[in-house]
Amino acid sequence: MSERTTGQTAVPAADEHARVEKAAREAEPAASSWSRVLDSGAGRNLGLVAVLVLLAIVGVVTTDTFLTTANLLTVLTQASIIGVLTVGVTFVIIGGGIDLSVGKVMALASVWATTVATQSYGPVVMVLCALAVGLGAGLVNGLLIAYGRIVPFIVTLAMLISAQGLAERISGRRSQIVTDPVIAGIANTRLLGIPLLVYIFAAVVGVGWVVLNRTTFGRRTFAIGGNPEAARLAGLDVKRHTIGLYMVSGLCCGIAAIMIASLTTTGSSTHGTLYELDAIAAVIIGGTLLSGGRGTLIGSILGVLVFTTITNLFVLNNLATEVQNIAKGAIIVVAVLIQARAQRSSSTA
Amino acid sequence: MSDPTRGLHRRRFLTGALGVGAGAALTACTSNEPAGGGGGPAVAPAPAAGGSEPGTPVTIGFSAPAADHGWIAAIAQNAQAQAEQFPDVTFEAVNPTNDIAQQIAAVETLINRGVDALVILPNDGSQLTRVGRQAMDAGVAVINLDRIFDSPLAYRTWIGGDNYGMGVSAGHYIGTRLREAGVANPIIAEIAGIDSLPLTQERSRGFAEALATYGFAVGPRQAADFTAQGGQEVTANLLQASPRLDAVWNHDDDQGIGVLAAINQAGRNEFFMVGGAGSANAMREIQADTGVLKATVTYSPSMASSAVALARLVAQGRGMSDLAEQEVPASITLASATITKENVANYLPLGFES
């Protein structure tokens, strides 16, 4: 799959596009066409693919179950929820922001969707509640950042804390068990042998990729993240776009909330604890600049897969928790080192 | 039994909802009052011992961690409910918190207010020992609930669960059942709570030592994090690692919701499972006997009710009338019972909703 990083396919007819591109280019010097191919496609994520292959080799050597279909589907299912959140976080970070609230907004949405009242109205209302909570939280984040001029770190940290509190208040700090058979059934449903959750994940990634790489919204995201002042001078409504970015992230939280409610059969304020850090780590090792303006969705998803595969390998090998934590830290550093090396070599090729 | 906390629960809930402003209307629409009742906290019956007849009016202060878990939520609700059963008790609960410094400050406030007795479930027994000592030195009787203080000088009476005993109960149940079934070399998995906590280490030690008496050992062992999400994730992976299992002990019934979800999603049922703590949902699951969950070993939050009852007796200078002693004992360790299909009906009223 090819992936552009700076929104450089021009639609020359549109004036605005040219301006947006100009702004985007300021974030990144133009590369030669050959290096752009390597830089934009698989070449860019080569490092992460290499890490995944290494992990797979370790899996095959140390266990006899790693390469079974059932296990690989388990890894993909585990990746799907954090993966959906990571799609939203990738948008926000490419747009020059940060979203620390995703894990707890997901928890709040799962709690809201699984209250006794909403469950008695059925699955459609539950899904709508989750999406509304996610979008609402994103809107509040966006408004405070764009118009309140508070830095995203603070706004989304505050959202994390208050979403946690609200989730605890609504749930009475209990796990709200999903009694609705439709929602509970999502995680048990398979199409062609593949869990439905994996399809949802794939669909979110697909839509996210198209929006990021093939639409004006995506191009503007790169432009604003690369240089917001230039983007503003080029005539973009940076404030409105910023709100949009946080709402994309919030929407992903809403989708993930339904997924986790189904997978764990509960809505709970304890869902998604530290997911924000996992998602941000996945985005960073996926090659997205924390300062914005440059990044890929596929890299982020590969980053998520690296994390989930590591967890799977640890449990398959029955490692103790403290060993897992030490190894996880080390592997993150190795992944970033390999990733950086692969990026350097691809851009000098 | 009518649920004495229902009204209060609703009031607090609505106050909170108003506090969130714009969200208030929506929150009220999604109120969590269960339609058919049954969601209230389990209230242990007032102990027959010690005289339920009114005594000197006393004020009991209460401080516990903030709940992120059904068990801790039940602790606070049980304490409150028990206090309301005594007309001679004024109950002063401070805001629950997971911050050590805040809990210390809260307990100091209660001491300064001049309560007669304190029930404290510390976030960390070691770190709250000093303030427990401070209360005792000030003449306030401290009932130390569950997580124990470092020094007996810091409490009048300790009451808590038996983590080691939980492991032993689970180990004996699994050992007996497997031996009866004639299983040689069984694969027994353990899904623990949080490995860094002493309570988890105690549970695991009891489990391993009980299994050893049958000549069995723990096979795959992984820690989740006491949450449904952690239970689901760890179990989904663990089931992949072990194509065949004979038995599973899961330390915690809250986490167990996720564990059971993962087992259902994987379509596995060749083994049986034992839970931990004794939540009402786990008990209903055992009663229905339709899944892998066949038993749970108790670590009951009813201990909070007992702690309040003890605090009252201590403050009133009374003993427990069924005992020969003039005073309340210095230490009470609850026994961990094994709940199975056969006796679940007796325990269901004590189960907490996770």
Side-chain angles (χ1 to χ4, degrees), chain B residues 218-313:
Chain B
V218 177
R221 182 190 179 284
Q222 286 294 316
D225 52 10
F226 279 136
T227 63
Q229 178 189 304
Q232 197 282 337
E233 184 179 335
V234 162
T235 309
N237 284 316
L238 188 140
L239 290 176
Q240 293 305 324
S242 312
R244 185 182 74 91
L245 286 171
D246 293 292
V248 174
W249 182 39
N250 164 56
H251 282 206
D252 180 73
D253 286 337
D254 280 284
Q255 169 178 296
I257 302 168
V259 172
L260 286 173
I263 291 171
N264 285 333
Q265 282 145 19
R268 295 276 291 269
N269 59 5
E270 82 280 6
F271 55 87
F272 66 93
M273 176 169 143
V274 178
S279 77
N281 359 358
M283 289 192 218
R284 285 191 290 264
E285 197 65 49
I286 292 165
Q287 197 166 36
D289 196 22
T290 49
V292 293
L293 189 66
K294 299 300 181 196
T296 186
V297 291
T298 58
Y299 194 86
S300 176
S302 61
M303 65 176 73
S305 311
S306 302
V308 169
L310 290 174
R312 168 174 171 269
L313 292 177

Side-chain angles (χ1 to χ4, degrees), chain A residues 107-121:
Chain A
L108 175 61
S110 81
V111 164
W112 216 302
T114 58
T115 53
V116 173
T118 44
Q119 288 205 45
S120 57
Y121 284 111

Side-chain angles (χ1 to χ4, degrees), chain B residues 17-45:
Chain B
L18 287 171
V20 296
L26 261 172
T27 311
C29 294
T30 57
S31 153
N32 263 317
E33 297 301 333
V43 179

Side-chain angles (χ1 to χ4, degrees), chain B residues 20-211:
Chain B
V20 296
L26 261 172
T27 311
C29 294
T30 57
S31 153
N32 263 317
E33 297 301 333
V43 179
S52 38
E53 72 276 6
T56 346
V58 289
T59 304
I60 298 173
F62 177 78
S63 169
D68 46 13
H69 192 268
W71 189 87
I72 299 245
I75 283 282
Q77 298 198 5
N78 286 357
Q80 175 91 39
Q82 183 72 29
E84 283 171 11
Q85 300 209 333
F86 298 120
D88 51 356
V89 165
T90 309
F91 190 66
E92 288 202 23
V94 288
N95 274 335
T97 170
N98 289 327
D99 183 274
I100 301 280
Q102 273 190 43
Q103 192 177 17
I104 291 174
V107 172
E108 282 174 344
T109 312
L110 286 172
I111 299 171
N112 294 338
R113 259 191 240 160
V115 295
D116 300 295
L118 274 168
V119 174
I120 306 175
L121 174 52
N123 276 290
D124 180 305
S126 306
Q127 297 184 55
L128 263 92
T129 301
R130 189 193 56 79
V131 76
R133 179 81 195 274
Q134 193 182 324
M136 289 292 285
D137 290 349
V140 179
V142 174
I143 308 297
N144 181 194
L145 183 55
D146 200 38
R147 298 177 194 167
I148 194 161
F149 290 145
D150 280 346
S151 161
L153 291 174
Y155 60 84
R156 163 65 181 78
T157 290
W158 174 82
I159 176 169
D162 185 0
N163 286 298
Y164 181 85
M166 260 181 106
V168 170
S169 298
H172 280 315
Y173 180 82
I174 289 176
T176 313
R177 218 178 132 138
L178 289 177
R179 182 178 277 176
E180 276 169 5
V183 186
N185 303 318
I187 303 171
I188 302 167
E190 183 182 359
I191 300 164
I194 299 173
D195 263 344
S196 58
L197 297 179
L199 68 94
T200 297
Q201 295 156 15
E202 284 286 293
R203 288 177 191 188
S204 289
R205 198 165 60 83
F207 187 56
E209 291 180 7
L211 284 181

